[in-house]
Amino acid sequence: MSERNGAVLPEQFSELNPFVARWNNRGMQNQYAARVSSTMDEMQEFYDAIKPHIPEIKQYLDSKDFAEYSEADRTLGSLVFAWVPVAESVEVFKQPKVPDSKMYWDIVDEPQCF
Amino acid sequence: MSDQPIFKSGRPDEGWTAMYGLTDELVSYEDMISPEFFELEREAIFRPAWHYVGRVDRVPKPGMYFTKEIEVLKASILVARDDAQDVRVYHNVCPHRGNKLMWEADASKEVSGRCKTFHCKFHGIQYDTGGKVALLTEKEAWLGNQGKELALAEVPFEVWNGFIFVNLNPGGPKESLREFLGEKYYSGFDGYPFETCSERYFFRANAKANWKTMIDGFSETYHAATTHALPFATQPSENLLMGAEHFGIEGRQRMMIYQDWGEIINFDYEGLTRGFGTGPRIEFPKELKNLPLISNPTQIDNWGSVSHKIWPQMFLQHYNPGWYLTYMMWPLAYNEMRFEVEIFMPEPRNFSDALAQKASLFMFLDAALQDFSLLEATQMGLETRAFNQYPLTDQEILVRAFHKEVYQVVEDYKRERGAEIIGRS
Ligand code: FES
Ligand SMILES: [Fe+2]
């Protein structure tokens, strides 16, 4: 697998590789879309897998400037961003969509950190 | 900067409604369901007003531009930085045969970018960033000087603390932006480090609802205990759970202040990401800790947010500590609106900062979606005309004051134009 398709995480986080294909979504629009097109079971699995690693991921990525990120680092960071809306569904709403809502925002502009 | 509160703090004994000279009179929302009323609003309210279209930071370099659609006034605006480094604002229209100038694929959509000249897609005439003809096609065929004298039409604008406001009143602005905002607002933000929040997020959505439904939604806080029962984990109660600390009325501008509810419950993901619905809990740049008094005008303890409602359809809201947002409720029809949210945050120093920022925004968007998703239900309910009049609580003083003002401005307009309008009908 090449680094280009983002399928590989930094060595120390390789146990999370199985989640990359589904959850390596770039940008808030895609990250949210993945949440509302997933089942609660799929989300629970991803949620449980990532959660314990977050402090370590933060420590690892914080040691670099954004400009120094490898593709694997970008994938790792995006995976955590994608985890956030999933965690909201799991912890708060207990369902993929916000209750009593039918649409979502058009996310027109968003800063790209890395 | 003085330490004296510039507004009196706390609920007055007589209540907000009485304090602002209003009564418990029932309110009609005909102003949200009448197509005829909407047509009057275009001219009475939107035509003479100043409208925020974007910040100067969106065009930092010569040739950078963006367009802004103002459907309610049937206007398309082109904001650009010219080669002399000045901000210019034009009608986004070619003076040759009226073709819309800058657009891509779908002429109704906004665009942005950078270019040396603006090219018209019809006959290829190019305009420089100063609005003059840079390249005239079919040069020989022009009659006299008409071709080479073509120029983009300038739109009156003023820049206030980096916010670009335009005015589309026929014959020029009725009042300056300073008069329009009022002195307390115009000078009250002096020194606010807006440019420190250089990270811009822009979100947008349309709803089949009158533009004022969303303004009313953001004109009180106590719905939060119900509309946002998740995530706040509030239970049904006869007590006021999430009221505002202060409601201010300054001329046409309004203000609402509330406490920091940020860590009421603290979900696991919030603790892990440091992103809360009320903003990222991270170390902020120090200049954001020294804000002008208008950010906490009544000097309450534990301030969470101050929402400034700027006539007619804008909110400028800032949160402790210092990041801010704008809301625009653009009318499209009497029962349709486009809602725009621009969020400005400081640049993240590292991954943890970026994560806290994104996480707080995901939660913010979900909460705003709860507010937004209600609007169509409100519009549908009102349009049934099951009731002609509705009561408002003391916490809804700004809803009451806003509709009163809207009716008043439309009435005044009708009176001014009265003879003319009656004469025609
Ligand atoms: S309409 Fe623009 S060049 Fe003719
Ligand atoms: Fe709300």
Side-chain angles (χ1 to χ4, degrees):
Chain A
M1 239 175 268
S2 72
E3 270 218 341
R4 178 66 192 85
N5 68 17
V8 175
L9 293 170
E11 189 66 46
Q12 67 200 93
F13 301 104
S14 58
E15 67 179 282
L16 299 176
N17 278 338
F19 294 96
V20 169
R22 182 173 179 89
W23 297 103
N24 174 26
N25 302 303
R26 307 288 168 98
M28 294 174 76
Q29 195 94 61
N30 295 325
Q31 288 152 5
Y32 188 83
R35 157 177 152 188
V36 293
S37 61
S38 301
T39 65
M40 288 313 291
D41 285 347
E42 288 168 324
M43 285 200 269
Q44 188 72 51
E45 194 192 351
F46 177 54
Y47 172 84
D48 291 338
I50 300 291
K51 188 178 176 183
H53 294 281
I54 289 179
E56 194 190 342
I57 294 173
K58 282 167 69 162
Q59 200 176 30
Y60 167 80
L61 289 175
D62 282 353
S63 70
K64 302 186 179 194
D65 286 339
F66 293 132
E68 296 166 6
Y69 279 25
S70 65
E71 185 59 22
D73 294 336
R74 279 189 280 273
T75 302
L76 182 65
S78 302
L79 210 56
V80 180
F81 288 170
W83 178 85
V84 173
V86 168
E88 288 171 355
S89 270
V90 170
E91 292 188 34
V92 184
F93 299 117
K94 320 286 185 204
Q95 62 179 56
K97 279 193 169 183
V98 172
D100 296 326
S101 73
K102 63 175 183 188
M103 45 66 74
Y104 195 63
W105 307 106
D106 183 7
I107 296 177
V108 189
D109 271 320
E110 148 187 31
Q112 297 303 325
C113 310
F114 48 81
Chain B
M1 231 177 279
S2 93
D3 291 316
Q4 289 302 308
I6 49 180
F7 297 94
K8 194 170 150 281
S9 180
R11 183 180 178 279
D13 293 340
E14 71 272 30
W16 299 104
T17 311
M19 180 180 136
Y20 288 115
L22 298 173
T23 66
D24 61 358
E25 199 183 353
L26 299 179
V27 174
S28 157
Y29 298 122
E30 201 57 28
D31 61 343
M32 300 210 278
I33 59 178
S34 158
E36 296 75 33
F37 193 90
F38 178 66
E39 292 308 317
L40 287 165
E41 281 183 334
R42 283 186 206 272
E43 301 308 318
I45 293 177
F46 287 90
R47 189 67 68 187
W50 286 91
H51 302 285
Y52 166 62
V53 292
R55 279 188 57 80
V56 290
D57 327 45
R58 290 189 65 193
V59 288
K61 299 200 182 101
M64 287 187 163
Y65 67 91
F66 64 86
T67 65
K68 186 83 219 155
E69 296 303 304
I70 304 183
E71 292 87 345
V72 63
L73 295 175
K74 294 202 169 46
S76 177
I77 303 295
L78 173 62
V79 178
R81 177 81 60 175
D82 70 13
D83 297 336
Q85 297 282 358
D86 291 322
V87 172
R88 307 290 290 256
V89 181
Y90 304 109
H91 282 284
N92 184 26
V93 178
C94 177
H96 173 215
R97 275 174 55 196
N99 189 41
K100 195 166 166 180
L101 190 58
M102 301 306 284
W103 58 278
E104 283 154 29
D106 178 346
S108 68
K109 297 279 186 309
E110 293 170 354
V111 291
S112 61
R114 189 175 187 187
C115 62
K116 287 232 174 328
T117 57
F118 302 116
H119 296 216
C120 179
K121 294 181 197 291
F122 204 167
H123 310 94
I125 298 176
Q126 298 181 17
Y127 302 90
D128 63 27
T129 55
K132 301 275 183 288
V133 171
L135 179 104
L136 189 64
T137 51
E138 198 65 24
K139 207 171 167 195
E140 302 297 304
W142 282 93
L143 307 174
N145 288 332
Q146 283 182 340
K148 63 180 186 222
E149 284 175 0
L150 289 173
L152 301 182
E154 306 213 34
V155 175
F157 73 98
E158 287 196 42
V159 178
W160 172 76
N161 284 302
F163 296 88
I164 303 166
F165 284 77
V166 302
N167 190 290
L168 292 157
N169 197 50
K174 268 171 67 175
E175 56 189 340
S176 67
L177 184 62
R178 181 186 286 267
E179 289 162 333
F180 176 81
L181 291 175
E183 192 54 39
K184 255 184 193 169
Y185 271 85
Y186 194 84
S187 55
F189 282 92
D190 287 355
Y192 195 105
F194 287 111
E195 60 292 337
T196 298
C197 296
S198 56
E199 300 280 288
R200 173 180 178 266
Y201 292 80
F202 183 39
F203 310 118
R204 188 167 64 189
N206 284 28
K208 290 270 182 213
N210 184 271
W211 62 284
K212 295 188 285 303
T213 56
M214 192 76 206
I215 290 175
D216 290 348
F218 288 150
S219 294
E220 42 96 355
T221 59
Y222 87 109
H223 73 271
T226 309
T227 310
H228 313 300
L230 290 175
F232 285 126
T234 37
Q235 300 296 323
S237 167
E238 289 188 351
N239 299 319
L240 176 63
L241 296 177
M242 301 179 86
E245 288 297 303
H246 182 83
F247 297 104
I249 296 181
E250 284 295 314
R252 281 169 296 198
Q253 322 310 351
R254 310 278 185 259
M255 175 190 296
M256 187 169 77
I257 304 173
Y258 52 98
Q259 287 207 342
D260 185 0
W261 299 323
E263 296 183 48
I264 285 182
I265 22 161
N266 206 343
F267 286 99
D268 285 1
Y269 82 89
E270 292 178 311
L272 282 166
T273 62
R274 304 301 296 154
F276 291 79
T278 50
R281 299 300 159 111
I282 50 173
E283 183 64 23
F284 273 73
K286 61 178 181 322
E287 57 269 34
L288 290 178
K289 289 174 189 148
N290 189 18
L291 300 175
L293 212 47
I294 198 125
S295 61
N296 182 7
T298 59
Q299 296 287 285
I300 62 165
D301 294 334
N302 191 29
W303 77 278
S305 185
V306 183
S307 146
H308 300 283
K309 160 78 190 0
I310 296 176
W311 177 263
Q313 85 288 34
M314 177 185 186
F315 283 81
L316 171 57
Q317 181 164 3
H318 35 250
Y319 289 80
N320 195 358
W323 66 276
Y324 71 98
L325 60 77
T326 64
Y327 295 132
M328 296 299 286
M329 289 70 171
W330 291 107
L332 300 175
Y334 83 95
N335 60 353
E336 195 180 351
M337 65 169 294
R338 184 177 66 247
F339 178 49
E340 296 177 348
V341 185
E342 261 182 316
I343 293 181
F344 298 91
M345 293 264 185
E347 201 181 330
R349 296 161 303 176
N350 51 33
F351 179 74
S352 288
D353 279 8
L355 176 61
Q357 219 172 77
K358 301 268 180 197
S360 72
L361 289 180
F362 269 122
M363 185 39 107
F364 171 91
L365 286 176
D366 279 348
L369 194 57
Q370 292 173 320
D371 295 305
F372 196 70
S373 296
L374 274 173
L375 303 185
E376 296 190 356
T378 302
Q379 186 72 26
M380 282 183 220
L382 293 176
E383 286 193 30
T384 67
R385 289 189 163 83
F387 303 95
N388 294 323
Q389 292 186 301
Y390 296 84
L392 286 164
T393 71
D394 199 41
Q395 280 284 313
E396 286 151 332
I397 173 66
L398 297 189
V399 176
R400 185 183 293 281
F402 180 51
H403 286 272
K404 184 173 195 271
E405 181 107 35
V406 165
Y407 280 118
Q408 188 63 55
V409 170
V410 167
E411 269 314 305
D412 290 349
Y413 172 81
K414 272 164 60 178
R415 208 175 30 248
E416 279 167 31
R417 305 283 306 272
E420 203 181 326
I421 291 167
I422 293 163
R424 272 198 228 125
S425 60

